[in-house]
Amino acid sequence: MSQIASWIRVGAVCALFTTAAQAQFDNNWLTFAPGTGRIKTNTGADATAILTDPQEKDFASGDVNNDGWTDVVMVRKLPFTVAGGFPNYLLMNEGGLLVDRSGEYASESDVAGDNGFLTPTNDRDVVLSDVNLDGWLDIITCTTMSDGLPKHISHPRVYINKGAVNGQWQGFRYEDARIPTFPIAPRFCGVDAGDVTGDGAPDLYFADYGGLEDKLLINNGNGFFIDSGNTRMADSMLASGFGTAANIMDMNGDGLNDIVRGQSGSCQISYNNPAQPGYFPTILHQSMGSGATYHSDAGDLNRDNKPDVIISDDGLDNFRLNQGNDSLGRVNWGPFTNYQFVTGGDDGFAGSNHIVDLDGDQWPEAIFADVDVDIGGCDRRTHIYHNLGGAIGGAINMREEAGSAANGNWRGVKGMSSADHVGTYDIAFLDLDRDGDMDMVYGRCAGTFVWMNQKITAPTTATYVFGGTNANSTGQKARISANGTPGGNVNNFQLRAEGLPALKTTIFLYGAGRLWAPAVFGDGQRWVSGPIQRFSAVTSDSSGVAIFNCNFNTAPMSTIPIGAERGAQAWFRDPAAGAGHSNTTNAVAFWRVD
């Protein structure tokens, strides 16, 4: 953004505070608790560098290794409109812990001398999408302010997910040719992925705030992208001025994805042409009105299956409801509606925003991070606006709840003070512990903080497979899995090992927790920590499968406290490898739920 534009934005701020709504303090609609110790290095230590990281950061979350646990990608740059790159982080969800596996799984590249996530890049946004349609999520980063640097540093980067080989996930590889070369280095601020052509392959839209202007990149069906230039969207539609955010979503319900982008001054929508999918005629381009608009997000706030829009504004943040279509198929928008407050009000410039159902009532909330990516300052705070619901398809109220002094002076959600929200660049939303509610990772000027949703506290899926082992005499690596619920009520928890030598003695064992690096154990690896309990021996069947039915109502498993973690493995004899030889499976962590 130019200095002149920055002055215009500063001058646009008028009334920053609204009158508090006539509402009571202490509507304890939702509680969050600090997720202390949830971000780890690959050795199991608290990841201090991430926990105290002051850089600008943006998040994307998804299950990248298809193990059922949602992972987090964290990209970074120097704060505000300043050049300067930093390595990114791949945080793998390992049984409810986010473990930095950037070196193991995100450091490969097809560019000589490049080290993937370990190479400093200037990234302002990131999205996960399966670009080559192989069933595995890939990573697309959004680069900015890298003038004069090589293409593989200055341009967006696509990290291809290599999938699994023999059950072992292989991680990501940066592949330079996936993104075309632009005439100048981009200054992208937002990216989204979605199929605009109708061929099933996700395309990419980048919102730019430099001289390049926005870019619509079309997927060739194999995850390589072609710059559509002005062949699908007119130059006037791509000239977004200061583009900040992008969404690819069907806004008017015609079955085709449209493009929504936030930009300084307005929120713009380009509607897909039903007569020629993948093309966006100027007559179907729409500006949602004037104001001091900045970031935006789209989602269904009032449950009528019509996407609405929330807007970060330099003055008062707001939302607009989708009220159906006009004769051309463009959305008729309801009025700009401001948020309500129990106390205080809007504190000015906001940054990224998100529509997320935090309390699971199907009425999604609006969450506004406070750090402006352009103008310096970490002195404002994030606002969480509770969706109060109402008649489906009708008007709604969204309010920042607050606690009284007697109830801790919390803001937004119980358990979080104003200080916990201050200086937030972006927030990741995911069910970190797989208990069925939405947790949060705050990327702040002061560091990275995990907050655990207390709506549900009993895990719905209480196992996690981890670790590895060595091949045994069958040529296979034996693997463990678990079925059933680890607890005494149903009492159907079962440990299963496969890939074993046939008809051999096998002992299942469990320990107090997990090791972060394996210990040598026979020909295999021990991943569970002591003290270790051994179950009665079983014999593998003719297919090399051994099963043990656990009983939580008798010792020793009856002594495991509810909520406690244990790690289990199978240890088996392997005489074909030599006299006295034995080996192990990998490991599975489980948590007792009742």
Side-chain angles (χ1 to χ4, degrees):
M1 175 183 260
S2 68
Q3 188 178 33
I4 292 175
S6 295
W7 288 341
I8 292 172
R9 284 198 58 221
V10 173
V13 180
C14 47
L16 299 184
F17 294 92
T18 58
T19 303
Q22 296 299 310
Q24 297 295 317
F25 283 99
D26 301 328
N27 176 12
N28 299 333
W29 69 290
L30 192 59
T31 300
F32 276 79
T36 306
R38 293 274 182 174
I39 301 181
K40 300 290 188 182
T41 69
N42 60 359
T43 65
D46 286 341
T48 303
I50 298 174
L51 294 170
T52 61
D53 174 55
Q55 308 308 330
E56 180 182 322
K57 27 199 171 284
D58 194 272
F59 299 104
S61 56
D63 182 6
V64 300
N65 61 347
N66 288 348
D67 69 347
W69 296 79
T70 304
D71 313 297
V72 173
V73 174
M74 173 177 164
V75 298
R76 304 188 299 152
K77 70 174 294 294
L78 274 173
F80 314 117
T81 309
V82 179
F86 285 87
N88 297 326
Y89 290 112
L90 175 63
L91 304 178
M92 300 301 297
N93 189 339
E94 301 184 4
L97 301 178
L98 293 175
V99 182
D100 178 13
R101 299 291 184 185
S102 309
E104 294 103 315
Y105 293 126
S107 60
E108 186 177 343
S109 171
D110 65 3
V111 176
D114 185 84
N115 295 305
F117 266 33
L118 306 185
T119 296
T121 50
N122 209 23
D123 296 316
R124 182 148 268 174
D125 197 9
V126 60
V127 67
L128 299 178
S129 182
D130 180 9
V131 301
N132 57 356
L133 305 180
D134 64 352
W136 299 85
L137 287 174
D138 309 300
I139 302 170
I140 305 100
T141 64
C142 174
T143 50
T144 185
M145 301 194 70
S146 302
D147 301 358
L149 296 177
K151 184 249 182 177
H152 72 280
I153 300 294
S154 63
H155 283 48
R157 290 161 68 104
V158 175
Y159 295 83
I160 291 296
N161 195 323
K162 299 192 297 179
V165 176
N166 295 325
Q168 180 63 43
W169 184 59
Q170 302 297 299
F172 292 96
R173 178 178 58 246
Y174 165 57
E175 297 184 357
D176 184 59
R178 299 279 175 174
I179 294 289
T181 302
F182 303 130
I184 61 175
R187 294 194 174 186
F188 291 146
C189 192
V191 61
D192 200 15
D195 176 20
V196 301
T197 63
D199 65 354
D203 309 298
L204 302 176
Y205 191 90
F206 290 91
D208 185 80
Y209 60 96
L212 184 64
E213 304 301 355
D214 290 7
K215 287 292 182 183
L216 173 61
L217 303 186
I218 302 300
N219 194 328
N220 72 349
N222 297 308
F224 291 86
F225 293 91
I226 301 163
D227 182 2
S228 67
N230 60 5
T231 63
R232 294 173 180 266
M233 301 179 72
D235 287 333
S236 61
M237 302 165 72
L238 296 166
S240 62
F242 192 93
T244 56
N247 292 94
I248 297 177
M249 181 180 294
D250 181 7
M251 299 300 293
N252 57 2
D254 65 356
L256 299 173
N257 280 327
D258 311 303
I259 296 171
V260 184
R261 59 192 182 279
Q263 64 182 58
S264 184
S266 67
C267 182
Q268 307 279 322
I269 304 176
S270 297
Y271 294 94
N272 212 325
N273 186 359
Q276 193 178 17
Y279 291 82
F280 301 81
T282 55
I283 194 173
L284 295 183
H285 184 71
Q286 180 184 58
S287 174
M288 290 182 60
S290 61
T293 298
Y294 201 38
H295 280 261
S296 63
D297 194 19
D300 184 9
L301 294 173
N302 61 352
R303 296 180 57 189
D304 61 357
N305 296 316
K306 299 183 182 72
D308 312 301
V309 171
I310 64 173
I311 297 168
S312 297
D313 193 281
D314 292 348
L316 299 177
D317 299 333
N318 54 74
F319 63 92
R320 298 187 76 175
L321 296 179
N322 185 330
Q323 297 185 333
N325 301 336
D326 65 14
S327 60
L328 294 176
R330 301 169 303 188
V331 172
N332 290 314
W333 292 102
F336 289 97
T337 305
N338 297 128
Y339 298 96
Q340 299 177 357
F341 299 83
V342 172
T343 184
D346 195 318
D347 51 356
F349 295 160
S352 62
N353 53 36
H354 302 275
I355 295 175
V356 182
D357 184 7
L358 291 180
D359 60 350
D361 66 352
Q362 301 182 57
W363 295 90
E365 279 62 55
I367 301 95
F368 287 75
D370 60 284
V371 176
D372 185 313
V373 299
D374 180 45
I375 297 173
C378 293
D379 53 350
R380 298 175 296 276
R381 67 176 177 84
T382 287
H383 294 276
I384 297 176
Y385 297 109
H386 176 204
N387 191 334
L388 302 179
I392 292 177
I396 57 171
N397 291 315
M398 305 192 77
R399 182 173 66 216
E400 183 182 61
E401 308 287 6
S404 64
N407 200 17
N409 280 322
W410 55 266
R411 293 294 179 266
V413 293
K414 188 176 181 181
M416 297 186 72
S417 68
S418 293
D420 294 320
H421 296 295
V422 168
T424 303
Y425 295 107
D426 194 27
I427 304 167
F429 300 92
L430 69 154
D431 184 2
L432 179 57
D433 54 356
R434 288 187 67 174
D435 62 355
D437 56 26
M438 194 67 69
D439 309 305
M440 302 187 294
V441 181
Y442 267 50
R444 296 174 51 200
C445 303
T448 310
F449 302 83
V450 176
W451 288 91
M452 304 302 294
N453 196 326
Q454 302 300 293
K455 185 75 174 182
I456 305 171
T457 56
T460 56
T461 301
T463 60
Y464 167 71
V465 176
F466 66 99
T469 191
N470 304 320
N472 57 61
S473 61
T474 68
Q476 304 178 80
K477 293 184 177 181
R479 304 192 66 80
I480 194 171
S481 60
N483 299 297
T485 302
N489 287 339
V490 179
N491 207 30
N492 64 349
F493 191 61
Q494 186 181 79
L495 296 172
R496 183 180 192 273
E498 59 186 27
L500 314 178
L503 307 176
K504 294 297 181 286
T505 300
T506 303
I507 296 175
F508 287 89
L509 51 86
Y510 74 89
R514 71 185 88 173
L515 297 176
W516 292 92
V520 175
F521 199 74
D523 296 335
Q525 302 170 10
R526 178 170 63 83
W527 288 92
V528 300
S529 61
I532 291 175
Q533 297 277 354
R534 299 182 183 182
F535 293 118
S536 302
V538 295
T539 301
S540 60
D541 64 18
S542 59
S543 299
V545 174
I547 294 173
F548 188 87
N549 294 308
C550 302
N551 190 340
F552 281 84
N553 293 319
T554 61
M557 301 196 80
S558 60
T559 64
I560 300 175
I562 293 174
E565 176 187 338
R566 296 293 185 264
Q569 287 186 262
W571 174 39
F572 54 91
R573 295 190 182 278
D574 193 13
H581 279 252
S582 64
N583 211 319
T584 62
T585 62
N586 58 336
V588 60
F590 63 89
W591 295 263
R592 181 168 184 174
V593 299
D594 56 51

